[in-house]
């Protein structure tokens, strides 16, 4: 059997067009959704991410505002910008591109973003709501994973989902979202004993480790669904995931490629969260 390849790029394009449609239908009566993106310093990867977010805003009919802060600016300058954006009526979502320079405290910066505008879903209020199963802005990457599964019509309820990785931005929120969808969830990490055995029990595997080709074919149950969150740059410049794609696709029933799988969904979910913030504000 060869797995169905889940095309994250295609799903993303469709969802972005749907978002654009929702905005177009309302825009005559209210202003367009506004997303503020803050970039600190000159990290080239951050610049690429910010540019991609701006492009997605254009497609969705949002207004994007970019705020650049210099690498050596004091933390107070960033905090006061966030305070100003929190009180700006034209801004629905605020995103501060990570990582920040080492003299800035990421937690403090994330905490400063108003929960109503926390479209990245990283604030303690968003996390608390996610744990409690209340409506919230879920972190974009794991929310994108759930969205992809649903788009493909994959039943999550009752399935055994094994997540490899327990970071605050991917592994842990993925576990909470899959629980909310009634999966039975196991979370593995670097101290897990016999990780291969745990993964072999999975109906759905979510790999978020950051190690190229870590999940091999022998760890996969016949017909399992395999979602690869990893983004690893090889020495030859190629980007690859955490899953040994070529071998695993012969055993899985569905698999996401890297690139073109979970990656595009992350920005799409950011757009979705911003749309939700805007809809809440204008009572749509
Ligand atoms: P982190 O480095 O924060 O977390 C990695 C996790 O993997 C940790 O929980 C760690 O365990 C676990 N891990 C590492 N080595 C092993 C091992 N040998 N056995 C078992 N578990 C292990 O990474 P992120 O969660 O931020 O990102 C994971 C991957 O996803 C990266 O490749 C990243 O680039 C990618 N990513 C992709 C995104 C997208 O849009 N597609 C968005 C965000 C991330 P422990 O906690 O015990 O150390």
């Amino acid at each position: 059997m060869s797995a169905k390849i889940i095309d994250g790029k295609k799903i993303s394009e469709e969802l972005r067009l749907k978002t654009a449609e929702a905005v177009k239908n309302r825009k005559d009566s209210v202003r367009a959704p506004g997303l503020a993106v803050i970039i600190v310093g000159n990290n080239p990867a951050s610049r690429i991410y910010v540019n991609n977010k701006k492009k997605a805003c254009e497609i969705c009919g949002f207004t994007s505002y970019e705020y650049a802060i210099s690498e050596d600016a004091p933390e107070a300058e960033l905090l006061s910008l966030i305070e100003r954006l929190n009180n700006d009526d034209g801004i629905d979502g605020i995103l501060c591109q990570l990582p920040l320079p080492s003299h800035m405290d990421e937690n403090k910066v994330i905490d400063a973003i108003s929960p109503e505008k926390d479209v990245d879903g990283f604030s303690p209020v968003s996390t608390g709501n996610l744990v409690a199963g209340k409506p919230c802005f879920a972190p974009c990457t794991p929310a994108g994973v759930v969205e992809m599964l649903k788009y493909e019509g994959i039943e999550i309820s009752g399935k055994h989902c094994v997540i490899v990785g327990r970071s605050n931005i991917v592994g842990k929120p993925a576990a909470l979202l899959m629980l909310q969808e009634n999966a039975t969830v196991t979370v593995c990490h670097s101290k897990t004993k016999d990780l291969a055995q745990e993964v072999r029990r999975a109906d759905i595997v979510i790999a978020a480790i950051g190690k190229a080709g870590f999940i091999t074919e022998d760890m996969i149950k016949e017909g399992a669904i395999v979602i690869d969150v990893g983004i690893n740059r090889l020495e030859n410049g190629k980007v690859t995931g955490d899953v040994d794609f070529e071998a695993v696709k012969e055993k899985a029933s569905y698999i996401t490629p890297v690139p073109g799988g979970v990656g595009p969904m992350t920005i799409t979910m950011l757009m979705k969260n911003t749309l939700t913030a805007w809809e809440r504000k204008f009572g749509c």
Side-chain angles (χ1 to χ4, degrees), residues 49 140-142 164-171 187-192 195 207-212 214 228-232 240-242 258 261-267:
Y49 290 134
C140 300
T141 301
V164 190
R166 57 171 165 180
S167 71
N168 289 339
I169 61 166
V170 189
V187 182
C188 299
H189 45 78
S190 65
K191 305 288 185 290
T192 298
L195 184 133
I209 309 148
K211 292 198 166 137
F214 185 89
D228 191 351
V229 179
I231 300 177
N232 309 290
T240 187
D242 288 346
V258 178
V262 176
M265 294 298 291
T266 298
I267 296 184

Side-chain angles (χ1 to χ4, degrees), residues 29-274:
S29 46
V30 293
R31 63 158 175 78
L35 176 66
V37 181
I38 305 170
I39 179 165
V40 184
N42 307 310
N43 181 328
S46 292
R47 171 45 59 200
I48 292 171
Y49 290 134
V50 166
N51 288 349
N52 287 342
K53 285 165 189 172
K54 279 164 77 176
K55 264 189 231 152
C57 281
E58 275 168 34
I59 292 167
C60 293
F62 295 4
T63 311
S64 67
Y65 302 89
E66 185 183 316
Y67 299 87
I69 290 197
S70 70
E71 183 87 25
D72 54 0
E75 186 186 76
E77 186 177 327
L78 175 57
L79 292 173
S80 99
L81 169 63
I82 292 174
E83 184 57 26
R84 185 154 62 81
L85 296 173
N86 282 341
N87 295 314
D88 185 334
D89 250 4
I91 302 287
D92 302 297
I94 303 170
L95 174 145
C96 186
Q97 188 63 49
L98 302 177
L100 295 174
S102 57
H103 68 282
M104 294 186 180
D105 178 344
E106 279 187 8
N107 286 329
K108 199 166 159 191
V109 169
I110 291 166
D111 287 6
I113 297 172
S114 158
E116 300 87 65
K117 299 190 179 187
D118 173 35
V119 287
D120 245 347
F122 292 157
S123 78
V125 173
S126 300
T127 307
N129 285 335
L130 183 63
V131 172
K134 291 186 188 162
C136 66
F137 295 120
C140 300
T141 301
V145 169
V146 174
E147 190 79 23
M148 286 175 112
L149 293 169
K150 288 187 174 171
Y151 180 94
E152 292 293 336
I154 293 167
E155 177 77 38
I156 302 174
S157 180
K159 295 263 168 69
H160 183 195
C161 175
V162 175
I163 298 164
V164 190
R166 57 171 165 180
S167 71
N168 289 339
I169 61 166
V170 189
K172 279 185 209 160
L176 291 164
L177 289 170
M178 292 302 277
L179 261 182
Q180 234 165 58
E181 298 296 330
N182 299 315
T184 301
V185 178
T186 301
V187 182
C188 299
H189 45 78
S190 65
K191 305 288 185 290
T192 298
K193 286 194 179 127
D194 204 351
L195 184 133
Q197 188 56 31
E198 296 293 343
V199 178
R200 235 173 262 133
R201 290 167 46 224
D203 303 310
I204 302 174
V205 179
I206 301 176
I209 309 148
K211 292 198 166 137
F214 185 89
I215 303 290
T216 48
E217 169 268 339
D218 59 301
M219 297 181 189
I220 299 296
K221 181 168 81 179
E222 194 74 47
I225 295 146
V226 181
I227 306 294
D228 191 351
V229 179
I231 300 177
N232 309 290
R233 193 167 285 280
L234 302 178
E235 273 177 16
N236 63 11
K238 265 186 74 179
V239 170
T240 187
D242 288 346
V243 175
D244 177 2
F245 180 82
E246 287 306 323
V248 169
K249 84 173 191 319
E250 297 308 319
K251 212 164 172 188
S253 56
Y254 289 85
I255 190 166
T256 62
V258 178
V262 176
M265 294 298 291
T266 298
I267 296 184
T268 299
M269 298 316 284
L270 174 71
M271 298 297 115
K272 198 172 173 196
N273 280 349
T274 306

